[in-house]
mmCIF file of all heavy atoms in Angstrom:
data_model
loop_
_atom_site.group_PDB
_atom_site.id
_atom_site.type_symbol
_atom_site.label_atom_id
_atom_site.label_comp_id
_atom_site.label_asym_id
_atom_site.label_seq_id
_atom_site.Cartn_x
_atom_site.Cartn_y
_atom_site.Cartn_z
ATOM 1 N N VAL A 73 30.123 345.475 -16.427
ATOM 2 C CA VAL A 73 31.526 345.164 -15.961
ATOM 3 C C VAL A 73 32.444 345.555 -17.053
ATOM 4 O O VAL A 73 32.163 345.158 -18.235
ATOM 5 C CB VAL A 73 31.515 343.689 -15.533
ATOM 6 C CG1 VAL A 73 32.910 343.273 -15.218
ATOM 7 C CG2 VAL A 73 30.549 343.388 -14.422
ATOM 8 N N GLY A 74 33.561 346.206 -16.716
ATOM 9 C CA GLY A 74 34.557 346.490 -17.615
ATOM 10 C C GLY A 74 34.441 347.859 -18.262
ATOM 11 O O GLY A 74 35.260 348.265 -19.121
ATOM 12 N N GLN A 75 33.348 348.419 -17.934
ATOM 13 C CA GLN A 75 33.000 349.780 -18.536
ATOM 14 C C GLN A 75 31.926 350.595 -17.656
ATOM 15 O O GLN A 75 31.250 350.001 -16.875
ATOM 16 C CB GLN A 75 32.475 349.747 -19.980
ATOM 17 C CG GLN A 75 31.293 348.956 -20.114
ATOM 18 C CD GLN A 75 30.660 348.883 -21.506
ATOM 19 O OE1 GLN A 75 31.208 349.572 -22.371
ATOM 20 N NE2 GLN A 75 29.687 348.107 -21.718
ATOM 21 N N HIS A 76 31.871 351.854 -17.814
ATOM 22 C CA HIS A 76 30.756 352.740 -17.336
ATOM 23 C C HIS A 76 30.033 353.290 -18.382
ATOM 24 O O HIS A 76 30.560 353.902 -19.302
ATOM 25 C CB HIS A 76 31.368 353.739 -16.319
ATOM 26 C CG HIS A 76 32.300 353.288 -15.273
ATOM 27 N ND1 HIS A 76 31.713 352.668 -14.228
ATOM 28 C CD2 HIS A 76 33.605 353.458 -15.117
ATOM 29 C CE1 HIS A 76 32.772 352.263 -13.438
ATOM 30 N NE2 HIS A 76 33.905 352.896 -13.980
ATOM 31 N N ASN A 77 28.645 353.252 -18.368
ATOM 32 C CA ASN A 77 27.759 353.953 -19.284
ATOM 33 C C ASN A 77 27.615 355.379 -18.789
ATOM 34 O O ASN A 77 26.662 355.623 -17.958
ATOM 35 C CB ASN A 77 26.527 353.200 -19.323
ATOM 36 C CG ASN A 77 25.543 353.770 -20.426
ATOM 37 O OD1 ASN A 77 25.649 354.919 -20.690
ATOM 38 N ND2 ASN A 77 24.744 352.987 -21.045
ATOM 39 N N LEU A 78 28.504 356.307 -19.357
ATOM 40 C CA LEU A 78 28.383 357.692 -18.802
ATOM 41 C C LEU A 78 27.112 358.478 -19.164
ATOM 42 O O LEU A 78 26.714 359.286 -18.372
ATOM 43 C CB LEU A 78 29.620 358.506 -19.271
ATOM 44 C CG LEU A 78 30.987 357.923 -18.845
ATOM 45 C CD1 LEU A 78 32.115 358.755 -19.439
ATOM 46 C CD2 LEU A 78 31.058 357.704 -17.399
ATOM 47 N N GLU A 79 26.440 357.991 -20.277
ATOM 48 C CA GLU A 79 25.242 358.617 -20.634
ATOM 49 C C GLU A 79 24.278 358.270 -19.490
ATOM 50 O O GLU A 79 23.354 359.024 -19.121
ATOM 51 C CB GLU A 79 24.755 358.135 -21.958
ATOM 52 C CG GLU A 79 23.416 358.637 -22.417
ATOM 53 C CD GLU A 79 23.481 360.116 -22.756
ATOM 54 O OE1 GLU A 79 24.575 360.644 -22.970
ATOM 55 O OE2 GLU A 79 22.394 360.667 -22.751
ATOM 56 N N ARG A 80 24.214 357.030 -19.082
ATOM 57 C CA ARG A 80 23.195 356.639 -18.038
ATOM 58 C C ARG A 80 23.599 357.200 -16.675
ATOM 59 O O ARG A 80 22.667 357.676 -16.077
ATOM 60 C CB ARG A 80 23.389 355.028 -18.012
ATOM 61 C CG ARG A 80 22.168 354.464 -17.286
ATOM 62 C CD ARG A 80 22.022 353.024 -17.606
ATOM 63 N NE ARG A 80 20.907 352.395 -17.099
ATOM 64 C CZ ARG A 80 20.468 351.170 -17.168
ATOM 65 N NH1 ARG A 80 21.169 350.451 -18.184
ATOM 66 N NH2 ARG A 80 19.402 350.699 -16.665
ATOM 67 N N VAL A 81 24.849 357.400 -16.461
ATOM 68 C CA VAL A 81 25.273 358.130 -15.254
ATOM 69 C C VAL A 81 24.789 359.500 -15.118
ATOM 70 O O VAL A 81 24.284 359.983 -14.185
ATOM 71 C CB VAL A 81 26.783 357.956 -15.040
ATOM 72 C CG1 VAL A 81 27.201 358.935 -13.929
ATOM 73 C CG2 VAL A 81 27.252 356.585 -14.744
ATOM 74 N N ALA A 82 24.769 360.099 -16.320
ATOM 75 C CA ALA A 82 24.509 361.583 -16.448
ATOM 76 C C ALA A 82 22.893 361.750 -16.250
ATOM 77 O O ALA A 82 22.512 362.941 -16.054
ATOM 78 C CB ALA A 82 24.883 362.073 -17.826
ATOM 79 N N HIS A 83 22.163 360.750 -16.245
ATOM 80 C CA HIS A 83 20.639 360.913 -16.126
ATOM 81 C C HIS A 83 20.281 360.166 -14.833
ATOM 82 O O HIS A 83 19.040 360.062 -14.650
ATOM 83 C CB HIS A 83 19.980 360.321 -17.269
ATOM 84 C CG HIS A 83 20.112 361.158 -18.498
ATOM 85 N ND1 HIS A 83 21.140 360.993 -19.502
ATOM 86 C CD2 HIS A 83 19.449 362.102 -19.042
ATOM 87 C CE1 HIS A 83 20.986 361.810 -20.352
ATOM 88 N NE2 HIS A 83 19.996 362.563 -20.229
ATOM 89 N N ALA A 84 21.126 359.762 -13.935
ATOM 90 C CA ALA A 84 20.801 359.157 -12.683
ATOM 91 C C ALA A 84 20.173 360.096 -11.707
ATOM 92 O O ALA A 84 20.414 361.349 -11.851
ATOM 93 C CB ALA A 84 22.028 358.502 -12.072
ATOM 94 N N ALA A 85 19.364 359.577 -10.799
ATOM 95 C CA ALA A 85 18.677 360.411 -9.800
ATOM 96 C C ALA A 85 19.870 360.629 -8.702
ATOM 97 O O ALA A 85 19.925 361.852 -8.061
ATOM 98 C CB ALA A 85 17.539 359.656 -9.267
ATOM 99 N N VAL A 86 20.739 359.659 -8.461
ATOM 100 C CA VAL A 86 21.730 359.723 -7.392
ATOM 101 C C VAL A 86 22.831 358.854 -7.801
ATOM 102 O O VAL A 86 22.505 357.886 -8.374
ATOM 103 C CB VAL A 86 21.134 359.302 -6.033
ATOM 104 C CG1 VAL A 86 22.365 359.242 -5.038
ATOM 105 C CG2 VAL A 86 20.091 360.090 -5.406
ATOM 106 N N LEU A 87 24.127 359.194 -7.610
ATOM 107 C CA LEU A 87 25.185 358.363 -7.840
ATOM 108 C C LEU A 87 25.798 358.008 -6.488
ATOM 109 O O LEU A 87 26.068 358.798 -5.673
ATOM 110 C CB LEU A 87 26.352 359.080 -8.694
ATOM 111 C CG LEU A 87 27.474 358.235 -9.127
ATOM 112 C CD1 LEU A 87 27.890 358.491 -10.511
ATOM 113 C CD2 LEU A 87 28.713 358.423 -8.161
ATOM 114 N N VAL A 88 25.988 356.646 -6.273
ATOM 115 C CA VAL A 88 26.555 356.099 -5.083
ATOM 116 C C VAL A 88 27.939 355.661 -5.438
ATOM 117 O O VAL A 88 28.156 354.769 -6.231
ATOM 118 C CB VAL A 88 25.677 354.923 -4.498
ATOM 119 C CG1 VAL A 88 26.158 354.462 -3.206
ATOM 120 C CG2 VAL A 88 24.182 355.386 -4.386
ATOM 121 N N VAL A 89 28.972 356.129 -4.724
ATOM 122 C CA VAL A 89 30.274 355.825 -4.992
ATOM 123 C C VAL A 89 31.074 355.062 -3.927
ATOM 124 O O VAL A 89 30.899 355.285 -2.793
ATOM 125 C CB VAL A 89 31.066 357.188 -5.424
ATOM 126 C CG1 VAL A 89 31.179 357.994 -4.114
ATOM 127 C CG2 VAL A 89 32.571 356.825 -5.915
ATOM 128 N N SER A 90 31.875 354.113 -4.322
ATOM 129 C CA SER A 90 32.670 353.230 -3.386
ATOM 130 C C SER A 90 33.741 354.139 -2.985
ATOM 131 O O SER A 90 34.264 354.938 -3.738
ATOM 132 C CB SER A 90 33.228 352.031 -4.097
ATOM 133 O OG SER A 90 32.139 351.121 -4.375
ATOM 134 N N PRO A 91 34.339 353.952 -1.695
ATOM 135 C CA PRO A 91 35.267 354.849 -1.251
ATOM 136 C C PRO A 91 36.694 354.719 -1.999
ATOM 137 O O PRO A 91 37.497 355.696 -2.031
ATOM 138 C CB PRO A 91 35.430 354.474 0.253
ATOM 139 C CG PRO A 91 34.973 353.014 0.370
ATOM 140 C CD PRO A 91 33.862 353.016 -0.749
#
Side-chain angles (χ1 to χ4, degrees):
V73 173
Q75 63 178 352
H76 302 293
N77 185 330
L78 298 183
E79 180 67 20
R80 199 160 180 174
V81 168
H83 291 89
V86 174
L87 186 138
V88 184
V89 62
S90 297

